[in-house]
Amino acid sequence: MTAKKIYLRSFGCQMNEYDSEKIVDLMVDNGYERTDKVEDADLVVLNTCSIREKSQEKVFSELGRIRDTKREAHKDDMLIAVGGCVASQEGKKILSRAPYVDIVFGPQTLHRLPEMVGKVNDTHKPQVDIRFPEIEKFDHLAEPKARGATAFVSIMEGCSKYCSYCVVPYTRGEEISRPMADVLIEVAKLAAQGVKEVTLLGQNVNAYRGETPDGDIADFAMLLEYVAEIDGIERIRYTTSHPKEFTQRLIDAYGKIDKLVNHVHLPVQSGSDRILAAMKRGYTVLEYKSIIRRLKAIRPDISIATDIIVGFPGETEEDFQATLKLMDDVGFDASFSFVYSRRPGTPAAYLKDDTPQEVKLKRLQILQVKNDAKATEIAQSMLGTVQRVLVIGPSRRGRGMMAARTDNNRIVNFVGDESLTDTMVNVRITEVNPHTLLGERV
Ligand code: 5AD
Ligand code: SF4
């Protein structure tokens, strides 16, 4: 008998990508093989995102295409499943908009997918399960499998910050941390399979409060210290964090833990205190800058990335200028910027919003131009420096070149041989191009 095939498409953030990997691993353990052709699939899974309207709409157009493929390929037995945050938010309503969907599951019930597939096959009735059964999910996932030298490990789920514009607390539930031992065991298993760089994942990793084996509670700084002790782990990243819980203990960790990358993603969202308050972020611009200042006191050349929302309801030109000023003050290495997207059910959805969309788009463009200029400047400043990089594999440039990634997420191409793949090496940056760097091994 040939194995059943799963086609999976991920639409969202890193958390969503992580969940997607877990879904595939789980189905592989249940006898499935992955395919990249919808027409060959027995099970199609769309793992969705609802953080902004655009991502949500993409899901429904993709669903329509899948229904057509199913029809054209005469695959009457093909099951279509929708998971992730759109599923969590819309639940049964997905079935009224797309009645050909068989399974709707949420981010916290993905471990139930094999069982739900069985139920649809037995009953020929659609199955919906979007509950938040605590952290049960992690107890039912497949063993962690390394896919190269980098891996993601989820340390906490959900979010309890309730920023006024954001759906995450509603789609993924409240913050809940995995016990510390579970996280450490997962990292150790991955390290034993050759993982050298681990990215600790969570909507708010620094809200981590994991139970320790002796019944105490570990904070994120403590977790980092333990992860750093694991043999084989050479580089630790995490994403994403929140300024409100960026404690001095976490800042001090940058002095103690060499394995922590010289890069942090710390979403600020706006440079105006008035807007930050309306967003319910829980900090001021001054407090944000104080974190950065204290981080730079320990790691002077640390690279800072951020997220920015432009056009939040009531954002004036003056507020926007304050955001541009903050960009100058901090010198972000990357800012992931978005136009505010109204999310039904969130408090901000009821705020008066009289800024025209064209003005918002213009602001986004100004912000992005500024961001690109700064990113180029930072790349230029890397010229001549020696960087410790993780080799990804042969470079797309060919000609005996290998590609590697720096702490601050830049690709460096250098002459080297393929046996270096998945190892850490030192390279000196010899040339800075618009999208890549050139280096030589030292
Ligand atoms: N509109 C625009 N951007 C949003 N984000 C979250 N919710 C919204 C929204 N309603 C952005 C924030 C967050 C990132 C993951 O997505 O900047 O940090
Ligand atoms: Fe959303 Fe705010 Fe939680 Fe981030 S911290 S997931 S923006 S509610």
Side-chain angles (χ1 to χ4, degrees):
M1 204 181 84
T2 56
K4 292 210 167 198
K5 293 201 168 64
I6 172 172
Y7 169 91
L8 179 139
R9 207 176 138 192
S10 191
F11 285 84
C13 57
Q14 274 171 329
M15 208 70 185
N16 178 285
E17 299 264 351
Y18 174 85
D19 284 350
S20 296
E21 273 183 17
K22 296 289 159 191
I23 293 170
V24 171
D25 288 348
L26 191 66
M27 296 317 289
V28 166
D29 274 9
N30 280 274
Y32 279 74
E33 266 173 17
R34 189 167 189 174
T35 173
D36 52 11
K37 293 196 184 81
V38 176
E39 60 274 23
D40 290 346
D42 301 283
L43 173 65
V44 170
V45 180
L46 301 188
N47 198 17
T48 65
C49 172
S50 59
I51 199 117
R52 288 173 289 274
E53 191 175 357
K54 257 197 202 140
S55 9
Q56 177 150 348
E57 282 315 303
K58 262 197 239 159
V59 173
F60 286 99
S61 47
E62 181 67 11
L63 271 175
R65 275 196 293 275
I66 285 166
R67 176 204 48 202
D68 295 346
T69 309
K70 173 173 172 172
R71 215 181 271 149
E72 285 153 19
H74 303 289
K75 293 274 292 192
D76 294 343
D77 295 336
M78 178 194 286
L79 297 187
I80 302 177
V82 180
C85 288
V86 175
S88 175
Q89 183 146 341
E90 303 290 314
K92 274 197 193 121
K93 280 191 271 170
I94 295 206
L95 300 178
S96 30
R97 191 159 162 194
Y100 45 87
V101 167
D102 302 287
I103 296 169
V104 179
F105 63 100
Q108 310 306 359
T109 46
L110 60 89
H111 57 286
R112 292 205 53 235
L113 185 61
E115 194 185 325
M116 293 171 86
V117 167
K119 274 212 176 133
V120 178
N121 285 331
D122 291 347
T123 62
H124 301 285
K125 288 209 177 82
Q127 299 291 317
V128 178
D129 186 351
I130 53 164
R131 293 167 304 137
F132 301 144
E134 284 283 297
I135 203 135
E136 170 190 309
K137 154 178 167 183
F138 289 105
D139 298 333
H140 294 86
L141 294 179
E143 279 288 300
K145 283 189 200 83
R147 298 166 157 89
T150 59
F152 289 96
V153 171
S154 167
I155 65 164
M156 50 92 65
E157 283 275 327
C159 181
S160 306
K161 299 289 178 287
Y162 293 92
C163 300
S164 62
Y165 51 82
C166 183
V167 287
V168 169
Y170 313 98
T171 59
R172 285 188 172 262
E174 297 261 341
E175 278 161 8
I176 170 154
S177 300
R178 288 177 78 187
M180 185 160 84
D182 290 14
V183 174
L184 297 177
I185 290 169
E186 186 164 333
V187 177
K189 281 182 179 166
L190 290 164
Q193 294 173 47
V195 167
K196 297 204 171 62
E197 174 186 298
V198 66
T199 304
L200 305 176
L201 259 190
Q203 228 70 48
N204 247 305
V205 289
N206 51 332
Y208 182 78
R209 300 283 179 277
E211 202 181 313
T212 66
D214 39 18
D216 290 337
I217 296 293
D219 66 358
F220 184 55
M222 182 188 257
L223 179 71
L224 285 173
E225 285 190 38
Y226 276 84
V227 171
E229 290 298 316
I230 296 174
D231 280 345
I233 296 299
E234 295 190 38
R235 186 143 95 165
I236 305 171
R237 296 181 184 274
Y238 58 82
T239 187
T240 188
S241 55
H242 193 296
K244 206 172 151 186
E245 280 158 312
F246 215 99
T247 58
Q248 189 59 42
R249 272 176 57 72
L250 178 52
I251 294 170
D252 291 340
Y254 282 84
K256 292 191 222 159
I257 308 174
D258 291 344
K259 293 178 180 180
L260 258 181
V261 285
N262 226 6
H263 172 80
V264 62
H265 178 238
L266 188 59
V268 67
Q269 313 298 359
S270 170
S272 150
D273 283 338
R274 213 175 60 80
I275 296 296
L276 287 176
M279 287 175 164
K280 298 219 167 7
R281 290 289 290 177
Y283 54 84
T284 61
V285 174
L286 209 61
E287 283 165 333
Y288 184 88
K289 289 205 280 195
S290 154
I291 298 171
I292 305 296
R293 202 171 44 244
R294 283 176 286 140
L295 267 173
K296 288 196 168 167
I298 295 179
R299 296 266 191 106
D301 50 356
I302 194 165
S303 122
I304 318 278
T306 200
D307 292 352
I308 292 174
I309 297 177
V310 294
F312 184 82
E315 183 189 74
T316 61
E317 185 54 34
E318 201 183 335
D319 295 318
F320 176 62
Q321 289 301 329
T323 299
L324 294 180
K325 173 160 188 314
L326 177 70
M327 289 179 77
D328 284 335
D329 291 350
V330 176
F332 294 113
D333 194 349
S335 22
F336 302 95
S337 37
F338 315 95
V339 170
Y340 167 72
S341 169
R342 190 182 157 275
R343 305 288 57 217
T346 58
Y350 305 99
L351 296 175
K352 192 162 152 232
D353 186 3
D354 43 22
T355 311
Q357 194 67 9
E358 311 91 79
V359 174
K360 294 186 179 189
L361 289 170
K362 186 80 203 152
R363 286 181 190 164
L364 181 70
Q365 200 200 356
I366 293 170
L367 207 148
Q368 283 171 343
V369 168
K370 198 175 187 61
N371 171 57
D372 292 351
K374 189 70 203 179
T376 307
E377 191 187 314
I378 291 176
Q380 293 289 357
S381 74
M382 292 169 76
L383 192 67
T385 62
V386 174
Q387 303 278 330
R388 190 155 171 76
V389 295
L390 179 60
V391 184
I392 305 166
S395 159
R396 271 187 276 173
R397 294 180 162 217
R399 291 173 298 164
M401 303 282 273
M402 297 295 290
R405 191 176 291 277
T406 65
D407 270 12
N408 61 355
N409 290 316
R410 292 211 175 33
I411 301 290
V412 186
N413 294 307
F414 66 99
V415 175
D417 83 73
E418 288 197 26
S419 64
L420 294 174
T421 301
D422 292 343
T423 66
M424 307 256 338
V425 299
N426 289 329
V427 293
R428 176 175 290 109
I429 308 303
T430 54
E431 199 180 308
V432 176
N433 298 315
H435 298 288
T436 54
L437 306 173
L438 212 61
E440 62 190 13
R441 247 186 109 186
V442 290

